[in-house]
């Protein structure tokens, strides 16, 4: 195995606790459309792009709509979501995430973002995380959603790092698959029930060290 010279991080659910805001906004939309949307349903949306998420939501509600109406609904959900995240600050960085990124920088390991979100810059700026990244690939720069490896392949290319030297941190099953398809190692943040394909699964980044990373 090559030594590790770069780490690529998913954003929602790995670095910041934004999954709850996505959930509240989707639930509000479902309720407006006349059906309920549970936290369990929401698991299917993690790591999935905005339009793909809407399609899953409509399938759950048994609702069929034309593309123009769907575009309007996706925009409506996003306006609510942006309103919720506009008040975010660094207190919503997940436990251990900032400490681990700082430790990586001190050891000369490169750091990139690999997120499906088109709101990533707003979140990074509100939480003060932007300056830590050597490369930022978000939903405005990709055309293929995870589990397609595009987001991580572009990240490695922008860092000038070979995929074999990269480790991806992800909370979504689709993200772990994307990492594997990109030829990278992965660390799942969450439960091994859903992230079992990762090289290592952790409940959070709290207490995780660079020395432990280098053993992967
Ligand atoms: C992913 C989230 O990071 O970004 C998904 O896990 C979300 O839940 C996707 O749908 C797209 O986000 P946005 O902010 O562009 O709607
Ligand atoms: Mg995520």
């Amino acid at each position: 195995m090559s030594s590790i010279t770069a780490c690529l991080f998913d954003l929602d659910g790995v670095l910041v606790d934004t999954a709850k805001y996505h959930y509240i906004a989707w639930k509000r939309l479902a309720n407006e459309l006349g059906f309920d949307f549970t936290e369990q349903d929401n698991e299917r949306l993690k790591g999935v792009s905005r339009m793909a998420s809407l399609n899953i939501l409509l399938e759950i509600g048994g609702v069929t709509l034309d593309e123009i109406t769907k575009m309007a609904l996706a925009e409506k959900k996003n306006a609510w979501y942006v309103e919720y995240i506009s008040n975010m600050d660094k207190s919503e960085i997940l436990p251990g995430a900032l400490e681990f990124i700082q430790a990586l920088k001190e050891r000369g390991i490169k750091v990139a973002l690999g997120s499906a979100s088109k709101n990533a810059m707003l979140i990074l700026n509100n939480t003060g995380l932007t300056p830590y990244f050597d490369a930022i690939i978000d939903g405005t720069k990709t055309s293929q959603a995870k589990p397609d490896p595009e987001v991580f392949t572009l990240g490695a290319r922008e860092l000038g790092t070979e995929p074999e030297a990269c480790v991806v941190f992800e909370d979504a099953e689709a993200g772990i698959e994307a990492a594997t398809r990109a030829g990278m190692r992965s660390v799942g943040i969450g439960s091994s029930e859903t992230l079992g394909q990762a090289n290592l699964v952790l409940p959070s980044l709290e207490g995780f060290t660079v020395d432990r990373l280098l053993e992967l």
Side-chain angles (χ1 to χ4, degrees):
M1 274 287 174
S2 317
S3 59
I4 295 159
T5 59
C7 288
L8 288 83
F9 292 89
D10 173 50
L11 180 64
D12 296 314
V14 171
L15 299 180
V16 287
D17 192 13
T18 39
K20 62 183 180 208
Y21 297 126
H22 278 298
Y23 172 57
I24 295 167
W26 284 125
K27 191 180 171 70
R28 188 169 165 185
L29 187 69
N31 292 165
E32 260 199 23
L33 292 168
F35 60 93
D36 198 21
F37 180 67
T38 66
E39 279 194 63
Q40 199 187 339
D41 294 330
N42 189 56
E43 284 300 307
R44 291 177 59 192
L45 272 49
K46 287 188 179 171
V48 175
S49 73
R50 195 180 305 164
M51 281 312 286
S53 295
L54 176 64
N55 285 329
I56 296 170
L57 183 104
L58 294 176
E59 181 200 307
I60 289 166
V63 177
T64 310
L65 296 168
D66 61 78
E67 284 307 309
I68 294 174
T69 310
K70 285 204 272 186
M71 294 284 281
L73 290 180
E75 268 176 45
K76 190 174 198 178
K77 178 266 173 181
N78 190 56
W80 289 330
Y81 177 69
V82 168
E83 188 186 310
Y84 302 148
I85 61 172
S86 61
N87 294 321
M88 270 183 92
D89 60 26
K90 62 177 187 316
S91 68
E92 285 179 81
I93 298 174
L94 285 167
L98 182 57
E99 293 79 0
F100 181 59
I101 287 178
Q102 283 170 330
L104 290 171
K105 306 288 295 182
E106 278 166 24
R107 298 278 287 264
I109 296 172
K110 288 182 186 161
V111 173
L113 189 83
S115 167
S117 176
K118 293 187 163 84
N119 294 299
M121 284 316 303
L122 176 63
I123 295 168
L124 293 182
N125 288 334
N126 283 358
T127 53
L129 284 170
T130 310
Y132 293 98
F133 291 92
D134 301 296
I136 294 176
I137 309 295
D138 64 13
T140 67
K141 293 185 179 169
T142 52
S143 56
Q144 304 298 319
K146 299 168 188 174
D148 189 282
E150 184 191 27
V151 65
F152 298 130
T153 304
L154 288 177
R157 195 178 302 159
E158 201 162 309
L159 292 175
T161 312
E162 292 302 316
E164 308 79 63
C166 294
V167 176
V168 167
F169 291 78
E170 260 291 350
D171 70 321
E173 197 175 0
I176 297 295
E177 188 182 332
T180 306
R181 284 168 60 181
M184 300 175 184
R185 280 164 275 183
S186 60
V187 175
I189 305 295
S191 140
S192 44
E193 260 173 54
T194 43
L195 307 172
Q197 296 306 311
N199 296 84
L200 175 71
V201 180
L202 302 169
S204 82
L205 283 169
E206 196 163 26
F208 191 55
T209 63
V210 178
D211 288 330
R212 180 71 191 84
L213 171 81
L214 297 177
E215 286 169 14
L216 276 181

